[in-house]
Amino acid sequence: MQLVTLNDGKVIPQLGFGVFKVDPAETERIVSDALELGYRHIDTAAIYRNEEGVGRALAASAIPRDELFITTKLWNDRHGDADRAIEESLEKLGLDRVDLYLVHWPAPRQDRFIEAWHSLEGIRERGLATSIGVSNFAKHYLERLLPEATVTPAVNQIELHPYYQQRETTELAVAHGIKIEAWGPLGQGKYPLLELPEIMAPAAAHGKSPAQVVLRWHLQLGHIVFPKTVSRDRMVENFDVFDFELTDDEVAAITALERGGRVSEHPDDFD
Ligand code: NAD
């Protein structure tokens, strides 16, 4: 597995497994499958309501804790209450620390994300989260946060796929050593991304699937990704992306697909 070094010196597997919209009742089985197939980085969140299932799968796996990388996130209604929220997440996960804890959304109408960030700095200081970061922080939220922050976020987890690349936000993050985690790396299956010639042609050339080409594009651009699937076959497919390399021209053709095609809410409108 390819590892990425964060700005705090910690390392994260560049490819993981996301569990957004994984049914809580199915989560233990699905995460157990992912762990069995080699995934070691799991991305969950308090709002996904499946932290218990993730925790049960981790406990059942007997994989040493230091080989796992577990992310969870602070939900929008807990910006003033992060110290209790992380305790609740840790209890559900059955862990005494997570590897990465994120402010899930800036939630601008509440306007408490800087307060939340300071709480995460304390949580990191106390060792309850090894690294801390943000999510859905478009450029103007990073610009507000960074001058106030004692700890620079290690990551910004944002919607990012070929149709929606958030270049301004990405450039600012990179300038501050903040790694980009691309959520919805496959566009959540909401676009016919996987049928586009810019993706099908390299897939045919490399003997790979369109999804593998899109994931490879992310990896070559340095994004951290954790595609979600409940299918074991697709788990295998999505993990099998380290034995080929897109050419510079292939990467450029996929990058040129940008069209402002967001699949989910804009952070300005989401509390
Ligand atoms: P995704 O782009 O990973 O899309 C998932 C969908 O893609 C699946 O439901 C399936 O339909 C399809 N798919 C998966 N593998 C495939 C394959 N090999 N071939 C064809 N289709 C395939 O979208 P996502 O789940 O939204 O994003 C991944 C993870 O990012 C989530 O599980 C979650 O952990 C995280 N996330 C974070 C936020 C946030 O606000 N921070 C929001 C959404 C998701």
Side-chain angles (χ1 to χ4, degrees), residues 51-266:
E51 288 169 311
E52 285 105 331
V54 172
R56 282 195 295 272
L58 298 176
S61 77
I63 297 169
R65 177 66 184 91
D66 62 0
E67 291 177 22
L68 295 164
F69 192 101
I70 310 302
T71 299
T72 195
K73 314 185 190 89
L74 175 71
W75 188 239
N76 302 347
D77 60 359
R78 309 297 295 273
H79 280 194
D81 185 27
D83 289 333
R84 274 207 308 180
I86 183 70
E87 296 282 1
E88 289 167 17
S89 284
L90 289 173
E91 184 165 347
K92 288 176 181 164
L93 287 162
L95 299 175
D96 56 12
R97 65 169 179 92
V98 286
D99 298 277
L100 182 59
Y101 194 43
L102 305 181
V103 178
H104 203 149
W105 290 84
R109 275 185 288 279
Q110 300 177 49
D111 201 17
R112 298 183 80 173
F113 64 81
I114 291 173
E115 178 186 349
W117 184 252
H118 289 317
S119 299
L120 262 64
E121 291 175 333
I123 285 166
R124 175 182 181 261
E125 190 69 31
R126 298 201 303 283
L128 301 179
T130 307
S131 299
I132 54 174
V134 293
S135 177
N136 299 299
F137 273 50
K139 182 173 179 244
H140 52 289
Y141 297 110
L142 281 181
E143 283 170 341
R144 272 192 61 202
L145 179 67
L146 288 170
E148 306 279 344
T150 305
V151 176
T152 300
V155 307
N156 189 12
Q157 183 178 126
I158 55 174
E159 179 184 338
L160 201 163
H161 43 79
Y163 273 1
Y164 188 67
Q165 298 173 38
Q166 305 217 43
R167 295 228 175 94
E168 285 192 338
T169 298
T170 301
E171 279 163 19
L172 180 66
V174 168
H176 287 270
I178 300 167
K179 294 291 181 199
I180 294 296
E181 293 195 327
W183 70 251
L186 302 170
Q188 293 188 333
K190 290 181 182 165
Y191 287 119
L193 261 187
L194 305 182
E195 292 158 28
L196 299 174
E198 292 82 352
I199 292 174
M200 304 241 315
H206 295 280
K208 289 289 185 176
S209 73
Q212 288 172 321
V213 166
V214 175
L215 293 172
R216 187 69 213 175
W217 171 81
H218 282 288
L219 296 174
Q220 287 184 215
L221 293 181
H223 306 154
I224 297 158
V225 281
F226 21 83
K228 173 246 172 179
T229 179
V230 296
S231 139
R232 222 181 131 92
D233 288 347
R234 283 181 170 173
M235 285 181 204
V236 172
E237 177 183 335
N238 294 348
F239 202 67
D240 180 22
V241 288
F242 295 101
D243 64 348
F244 75 110
E245 194 160 350
L246 299 173
T247 66
D248 291 348
D249 285 350
E250 288 167 339
V251 169
I254 299 172
T255 301
L257 291 170
E258 166 67 49
R259 60 182 63 188
R262 174 179 280 283
V263 295
S264 189
E265 290 84 358
H266 192 286

